[in-house]
Amino acid sequence: MSDDLSQRILTALVRTPDWLRRDLSSKDEANRQRAEEALSAMIASALGEHADR
């Protein structure tokens, strides 16, 4: 994995909102699933931006 791609993913993770961080560890399945999908979309966006370069 390139340094640029790693940096883009790290930036996406650092920008993760507090609600998403809390919901990732939630015992409520629906909240956890919503957070996982949101995080997945953020990472996919970072990967897409990398691919466009």
Side-chain angles (χ1 to χ4, degrees):
M1 188 178 315
S2 72
D3 287 340
D4 182 51
L5 179 57
S6 294
Q7 186 60 42
R8 287 180 181 272
I9 293 170
L10 178 60
T11 299
L13 293 174
V14 168
R15 292 186 352 223
T16 303
D18 287 338
W19 70 263
L20 198 149
R21 293 173 189 266
R22 280 190 308 272
D23 286 356
L24 282 170
S25 62
S26 176
K27 292 182 181 188
D28 183 288
E29 180 66 30
N31 286 345
R32 194 169 51 252
Q33 184 176 5
R34 178 184 64 166
E36 289 167 351
E37 290 171 358
L39 182 57
S40 174
M42 290 175 69
I43 293 172
S45 176
L47 293 173
E49 290 171 9
H50 179 76
D52 291 342
R53 288 183 160 230

